[in-house]
Amino acid sequence: MIENTPDLEDQNDDDLYEHYAFTAEKGQTPLRIDKYLMNFIENATRNKIQAAAKNGSIYVNDIPVKSNYKVKPFDKIRVLFEHPPHEYLLTPEDIPLDIVYEDDDLLVVNKEAGMVVHPGHGNYSGTLINALIFHFENLPNNSSNRPGLVHRIDKDTSGLLVIAKTEAAMANLSKQFFNKTSEREYIAIVWGNVEADEGTIEGNIGRHPKNRLQNTVYLDDVEGRGKPAVTHYKVIERLGYVTLVSCKLETGRTHQIRVHMKHIGHTLFNDARYGGDKILKGTTFTKYKQFVDNCFKILPRQALHAKTLGFEHPTTGEFMSFNSEVPQDMQECIAKWQHYAKHKDMDQE
């Protein structure tokens, strides 16, 4: 289980900075720590992990260990270095922002697909936060030391985000998201014909045990197996081999809609991380394959857009609701499927 990244001030007596923190799960079988960490740290190599252990940078239960240490259930693992994590070394960048609304307490931005929300491994520039700290001074930090961020959406998801401009707004808005009183609706294209007109998906979401880049649904009640997640969906339009759906979040877990929709057999269209960049439904005809490939070219990302966002204003208490247009790439892809569904008899293919 990955712990929350600490603030910069969370250092030990030797002035080391914590870069990663994990707690081994209850069912963890004995495994060398260099192999264990490779499953959780993106782009890590075994040589780098072994070098970190040799330098005394890997701690288990507050004691430095070598790379051959066997991880056991509930071990608390920390990776410490003398320099702060790159994501804390924020550089202001003059990147244009699509600001939907702004006042003294907050702003609402419409993020384009392809923009990373906050710096992290491999993405230290060009992020929304780099843009925010250029355009706004003294943004409050959230619990993960990220200026202004109340919530986030994935890099290749487009749509609305609220940004806090004051400490009071940060506390108030964060509480609303925690208490599930904010409203968030997403529009998605998913593979297959979603039979029920509407429904609710419930299931704990946690890191996939074998693929560290994915999350998955855990339906058992084992302690520590993911966090509760609830998604409400409604069919907007059936397009044969894909369906246009609305998803409303009751919770806000990483990749929640992507994971939940895959869990019920309807992976998001062109979601490469979860297998949606393959033809999951349809015919074997060459023309159909060409059609899908063309759709992938039009929409070179997962088909997901954060369309609406609602919350109470932290100062006035007024409920505010914002709506953003579905971006051009998704509109074009939807139009192609509408044309295909209209002119093809799916049952005969």
Side-chain angles (χ1 to χ4, degrees), residues 90-93 128-137 139 147:
L90 299 174
T91 304
E93 295 180 42
L128 178 63
I129 283 192
N130 292 113
L132 287 172
I133 62 175
F134 177 88
H135 294 286
F136 302 95
E137 294 182 355
L139 289 175

Side-chain angles (χ1 to χ4, degrees), residues 128-168:
L128 178 63
I129 283 192
N130 292 113
L132 287 172
I133 62 175
F134 177 88
H135 294 286
F136 302 95
E137 294 182 355
N138 302 318
L139 289 175
N141 286 335
N142 65 13
S143 59
S144 298
N145 215 44
R146 287 164 177 159
L149 283 194
V150 177
H151 61 126
R152 65 176 189 170
I153 56 180
D154 297 330
K155 172 186 175 182
D156 289 326
T157 299
S158 54
L160 297 174
L161 286 162
V162 60
I163 307 298
K165 294 173 69 176
T166 69
E167 295 284 355

